[in-house]
Amino acid sequence: AEYGPMDDLNFAQLLPPSWEKWIDLWLEEDIPSFDYGGFVVGEKKETAHLFAKTSGVIAGCFFFEKIFNRLECKVSWNVKEGEHIKIQDGGKFHAATVTGPVRKILLGERTALNLLARASGIATLASKVVNITKEKGWHGRVAGTRKTTPGFRIVEKYALLVGGADTHRHDLSSMIMLKDNHVWSTGSITKAVKKAKIVGGFSIKIEVECQSQAEAEEAIEAGADVVMLDNFKPDKLSEVAKNLKGKYPHVLIESSGGITSETISSYLSPYVDVISMGNLTQSVPHIDFSLKIQTQNKYCLLYTSPSPRDS
């Protein structure tokens, strides 16, 4: 079954109070000085309809709404965060209504649409991949990576959760991941892990990127909690993961490296706990949205398709 509405899961409750600083930074990027178009339309109160024009999982409603709240506008929704909608060819779905001073609606329009389109695209792809693994009976976790857009990571990690995927570590402070450059600079996997354990203590996991079974065993013997089998072919991945689980059942095994929604099925070994995919946030198609002021013109007749919700 496809991933549905989040019911009582409110991922906005995860956000730190400091996240709202990004609203002003995003808006400042789009209006660093004079708002010439805003001057033209003025402050009269208007209503705008948000239309979804392509199918997908809706994500980012919370951020969309907060951007307009910052601009003294109100948003009412016809869709829930995490809901999958289907749009017929040429159709549109009235997803939300924005009311407020027309100048401020237009001021926030592009920033809010960009955010909603990207977050929904990430959630849609994440949901697709997670559903593939569930249909295959795999019980591990699909995860993102740190390959995110600068200044936008909190939104993209949020969208992964909405799509049913794991965020993986958020930043360099979330988990100690020792990659090839760390090992080469330190001199060996063992030295790198031992040094990391001094500062990581008991509360922070250590993961090591490995290119062979021998490297993975060295990492585990040194105290790694997670080993990443990087760029392994599916058959080799399954073989090495099985060997490692047989010898070290307590260790988490992650697979990563060029895995896509088209190829993930071949990586679903019962001995692999996590599959991380950079393309969940890097190479994701966006969901198409538009925001139209509702006056007595053609825009009043745009929405003609039947209910697009996927039952």
Side-chain angles (χ1 to χ4, degrees):
E2 293 183 329
Y3 188 78
M6 296 185 302
D7 299 323
D8 61 342
L9 297 179
N10 183 358
F11 294 129
Q13 294 172 351
L14 289 168
L15 299 172
S18 60
W19 86 266
E20 292 195 14
K21 67 184 179 185
W22 291 106
I23 295 177
D24 287 334
L25 292 173
W26 293 330
L27 291 172
E28 182 182 2
E29 180 182 52
D30 207 32
I31 177 172
S33 56
F34 288 160
D35 180 11
Y36 298 107
F39 171 81
V40 171
V41 298
E43 294 279 336
K44 63 179 178 178
K45 186 174 181 179
E46 291 281 14
T47 297
H49 286 179
L50 172 70
F51 293 106
K53 299 189 287 183
T54 50
S55 301
V57 175
I58 303 299
C61 299
F62 175 79
F63 298 99
F64 182 96
E65 185 168 343
K66 287 297 185 180
I67 288 170
F68 280 110
N69 290 166
R70 175 69 178 82
L71 296 170
E72 301 175 321
C73 298
K74 294 182 179 180
V75 181
S76 59
W77 293 94
N78 301 322
V79 66
K80 295 180 180 179
E81 191 90 278
E83 187 172 355
H84 190 288
I85 61 171
K86 281 190 175 179
I87 308 296
Q88 295 181 354
D89 290 344
K92 298 176 187 291
F93 173 54
H94 177 196
T97 298
V98 182
T99 57
V102 62
R103 177 178 73 85
K104 294 188 177 181
I105 292 176
L106 298 182
L107 194 158
E109 174 189 14
R110 179 45 50 199
T111 299
L113 287 177
N114 286 351
L115 187 152
L116 193 66
R118 180 153 182 78
S120 296
I122 290 170
T124 299
L125 181 57
S127 176
K128 175 184 176 180
V129 174
V130 168
N131 284 326
I132 290 172
T133 67
K134 287 181 178 179
E135 289 168 2
K136 297 291 184 180
W138 187 61
H139 299 293
R141 294 289 296 173
V142 174
T145 68
R146 276 174 54 244
K147 295 177 181 178
T148 56
T149 308
F152 217 56
R153 178 174 293 173
I154 199 165
V155 175
E156 295 176 351
K157 294 288 191 179
Y158 175 98
L160 286 172
L161 290 174
V162 174
D166 196 293
T167 62
H168 212 298
R169 63 173 179 161
H170 279 255
D171 46 53
L172 294 174
S173 302
S174 299
M175 181 174 70
I176 302 173
M177 182 182 288
L178 303 174
K179 301 172 76 69
D180 50 9
N181 286 324
H182 296 94
V183 173
W184 293 336
S185 297
T186 309
S188 74
I189 289 175
T190 299
K191 287 182 180 178
V193 173
K194 295 296 185 184
K195 194 169 184 179
K197 288 181 74 66
I198 294 172
V199 291
F202 72 90
S203 63
I204 300 180
K205 287 184 177 180
I206 297 174
E207 179 171 6
V208 180
E209 179 185 271
C210 302
Q211 310 299 324
S212 67
Q213 181 173 330
E215 288 187 357
E217 290 189 3
E218 181 183 354
I220 296 168
E221 293 290 346
D225 304 287
V226 187
V227 291
M228 177 195 289
L229 302 181
D230 191 39
N231 289 309
F232 277 57
K233 298 295 184 183
D235 290 345
K236 189 64 174 178
L237 169 69
S238 184
E239 175 191 339
V240 172
K242 181 179 180 179
N243 293 340
L244 292 174
K245 279 293 188 181
K247 193 173 182 180
Y248 310 100
H250 64 286
V251 172
L252 291 176
I253 296 177
E254 176 180 342
S255 173
S256 188
I259 302 170
T260 68
S261 59
E262 287 73 31
T263 63
I264 191 170
S265 293
S266 61
Y267 290 86
L268 301 180
S269 166
Y271 307 104
V272 172
D273 302 292
V274 180
I275 294 178
S276 56
M277 301 169 58
N279 67 358
L280 289 181
T281 50
Q282 276 197 316
S283 308
V284 59
H286 292 185
I287 302 301
D288 191 12
F289 292 93
S290 64
L291 190 68
K292 298 298 181 182
I293 300 295
Q294 298 299 293
T295 57
Q296 296 302 313
N297 57 32
K298 63 180 180 179
Y299 295 126
C300 293
L301 303 176
L302 275 178
Y303 176 49
T304 58
S305 66
S307 176
R309 285 188 174 84
D310 190 20
S311 59

